[in-house]
């Protein structure tokens, strides 16, 4: 096992993660979209299984070269809602702060795949970070700042501390949230210094862990999350519903239970975005609803995420759950129970 990230087609070949005959095509994919697998993730891949759900998330595929007309480099409209570089302000009470465009792994379905990567927008310069913090300071409706990117936990503890100290000085910011894959894909990174940096604002801090398959919740990943939670950081999860990875109620049930066992409250199950070259991952909303309906009867309410779609064009998120109630012409309401049986109300 390599002790650093795999980022090139040659490295994937050397690790027997891709077949030599596919290398020319995959080189074209690599020219367009960044590749990175941490040692933890490379190690989790079952090389004998051509349909391995970990491989499907991180190894490049020829299908990525197919771009459909409805797919876009900015599928959820980050750009139209960006008042200053590094800030996305779509909802009145919260902003995204994108301090870095690098990730420890590059997910093949990423909705920001045109913006992230080693050749992407990099790290926000000191001046631009200052301007982003000034924007947050000037807008006193901003109650929550969500650090995303890229993956904010690739930043050094020193840089994170500087950002947290900047936010600490803004009284109307009450909540700081990080969206990250690091606790699962590089658990050793969650050490004393990083945790101290995350807590340096003194404000209520949440970490939203992005994980899509129960095998990502290894013993090391769970221990890394426990270190965060024991330090007083609250955790929620986010999962992308992906064909060939987790489009199955049993797999999602195992994943949601793994989160809850780790004291992570399942938050969002995202319908995949219309990112370029990702149609092989997408299922229909109806297929997603059938899976979510099957989850409802199967697992504890604590384990239920909200199924959401980011409306293309930057209109924000919408709940796309299957409907449990339908209205009759008479005005009565029919409520469907978890077995699928209808009941009249009142
Ligand atoms: C998803 C998103 C958020 C966070 O939304 P929540 O529903 O609070 O998780 C905030 N801002 C933007 C621009 C987003 O895309
Ligand atoms: S970690 Fe997040 S931002 Fe980075 S490639 Fe994966 S989905 Fe995209």
């Amino acid at each position: 096992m390599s002790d650093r990230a795999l980022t090139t087609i040659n490295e994937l070949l050397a690790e027997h993660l891709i077949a030599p005959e596919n290398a020319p095509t995959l080189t074209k994919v690599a020219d367009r979209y960044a590749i990175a697998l941490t040692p933890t993730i490379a190690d989790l891949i079952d090389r004998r299984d051509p349909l391995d759900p970990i491989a499907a998330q991180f190894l490049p595929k020829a299908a990525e070269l197919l771009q459909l007309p409805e797919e876009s480099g900015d599928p959820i409209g980050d750009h139209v809602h960006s008042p200053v570089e590094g800030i996305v302000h779509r909802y009145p009470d919260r902003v995204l702060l994108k301090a870095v465009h690098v990730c420890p792994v590059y997910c093949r379905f990423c909705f920001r795949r045109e913006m992230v990567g080693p050749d992407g927008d990099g790290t926000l310069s000191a001046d631009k970070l200052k301007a982003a913090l000034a924007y947050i300071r000037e807008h006193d409706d901003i109650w929550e700042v969500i650090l995303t990117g890229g993956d904010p936990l690739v930043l050094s503890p020193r840089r994170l501390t500087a950002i947290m100290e900047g936010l600490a000085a803004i009284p109307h910011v009450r909540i700081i949230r990080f969206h990250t894959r690091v606790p699962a894909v590089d658990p050793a990174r969650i050490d004393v210094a990083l945790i101290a940096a995350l807590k340096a604002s003194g404000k209520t801090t949440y970490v939203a862990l992005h994980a899509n398959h129960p095998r990502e919740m290894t013993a090391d990943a769970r221990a890394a999350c426990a270190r965060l939670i024991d330090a007083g950081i609250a955790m929620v999860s986010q999962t992308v519903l992906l064909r060939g990875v987790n489009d199955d109620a049993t797999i999602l049930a195992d994943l949601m239970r793994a989160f809850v066992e780790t004291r992570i409250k399942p938050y969002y199950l995202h319908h995949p975005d219309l990112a370029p070259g990702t149609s092989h991952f997408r299922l229909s909303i109806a297929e997603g609803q059938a899976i979510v309906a099957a989850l409802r009867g199967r697992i504890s309410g604590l384990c239920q995420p909200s199924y959401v779609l980011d409306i293309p064009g930057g209109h924000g998120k919408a709940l796309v759950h299957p409907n449990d109630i339908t209205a009759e012409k008479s005005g009565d309401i029919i409520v469907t129970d978890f077995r699928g049986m209808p009941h009249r109300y009142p």
Side-chain angles (χ1 to χ4, degrees):
M1 174 176 123
S2 162
D3 60 357
R4 52 172 208 88
L6 308 173
T7 59
T8 65
I9 294 296
N10 279 336
E11 287 169 341
L12 298 181
L13 279 169
E15 294 281 327
H16 307 288
L17 287 165
I18 58 174
E21 62 270 24
N22 296 334
T25 309
L26 297 181
T27 299
K28 285 191 203 135
V29 176
D31 287 344
R32 174 115 197 244
Y33 304 114
I35 294 172
L37 288 79
T38 56
T40 299
I41 286 298
D43 220 34
L44 269 183
I45 291 175
D46 178 355
R47 287 157 171 78
R48 293 156 311 180
D49 179 4
L51 301 177
D52 181 71
I54 310 297
Q57 292 182 67
F58 302 107
L59 289 179
K61 243 199 183 138
E64 294 174 50
L65 296 172
L66 172 73
Q67 182 166 348
L68 301 184
E70 65 267 33
E71 294 176 341
S72 140
D74 183 20
I76 70 169
D78 278 357
H79 292 316
V80 285
H81 291 284
S82 184
V84 297
E85 201 174 324
I87 295 278
V88 184
H89 196 180
R90 177 176 299 138
Y91 302 107
D93 75 332
R94 53 210 193 275
V95 289
L96 305 184
L97 173 55
K98 301 198 283 185
V100 62
H101 287 84
V102 175
C103 302
V105 287
Y106 290 106
C107 313
R108 308 323 296 169
F109 48 85
C110 176
F111 61 114
R112 296 207 177 99
R113 61 190 325 207
E114 303 269 18
M115 305 168 214
V116 297
D119 309 323
D121 299 340
T123 305
L124 219 53
S125 68
D127 281 351
K128 286 176 175 163
L129 180 63
K130 224 184 215 171
L133 289 170
Y135 179 87
I136 295 169
R137 196 176 312 112
E138 286 153 16
H139 290 79
D140 55 14
D141 285 351
I142 299 174
W143 172 81
E144 180 180 22
V145 174
I146 302 167
L147 279 102
T148 175
D151 193 317
L153 299 203
V154 305
L155 291 168
S156 67
R158 187 183 57 81
R159 290 208 48 145
L160 272 173
T161 302
I163 299 172
M164 291 306 109
E165 286 172 350
L167 292 172
I170 307 176
H172 56 261
V173 172
R174 307 300 282 271
I175 307 290
I176 297 175
R177 192 200 314 176
F178 293 87
H179 279 234
T180 182
R181 261 189 180 281
V182 166
V185 305
D186 192 5
R189 206 173 160 80
I190 308 296
D191 60 9
V192 172
L194 188 81
I195 292 172
L198 296 181
K199 296 192 64 178
S201 71
K203 297 183 190 266
T204 299
T205 302
Y206 280 74
V207 167
L209 173 68
H210 171 187
N212 302 324
H213 192 277
R215 270 175 39 218
E216 291 165 58
M217 296 302 291
T218 61
D220 285 349
R222 294 180 194 221
C225 295
R227 292 196 288 280
L228 290 167
I229 297 166
D230 288 346
I233 294 169
M235 286 190 75
V236 296
S237 71
Q238 57 172 348
T239 294
V240 186
L241 182 59
L242 297 165
R243 188 181 295 293
V245 176
N246 58 17
D247 55 334
D248 176 292
T250 305
I251 291 170
L252 279 181
D254 286 350
L255 176 63
M256 298 303 148
R257 282 181 166 161
F259 288 144
V260 171
E261 288 164 11
T262 311
R263 291 178 282 162
I264 300 171
K265 175 67 188 90
Y267 179 47
Y268 277 154
L269 177 65
H270 294 274
H271 194 75
D273 292 309
L274 294 169
T278 62
S279 57
H280 53 296
F281 284 116
R282 274 199 304 281
L283 13 65
S284 66
I285 299 250
E287 289 171 304
Q289 289 180 328
I291 294 167
V292 168
L295 266 189
R296 279 215 77 84
R298 195 174 303 221
I299 49 173
S300 159
L302 272 181
C303 299
Q304 305 290 341
S306 294
Y307 179 33
V308 292
L309 169 73
D310 239 298
I311 306 171
H315 306 286
K317 293 175 186 67
L319 280 173
V320 289
H321 275 263
N323 223 337
D324 286 347
I325 63 167
T326 47
E328 292 218 310
K329 276 209 191 76
S330 64
D332 280 2
I333 284 187
I334 305 294
V335 188
T336 307
D337 70 23
F338 73 94
R339 294 191 182 86
M341 297 300 290
H343 305 273
R344 186 173 300 274
Y345 182 88

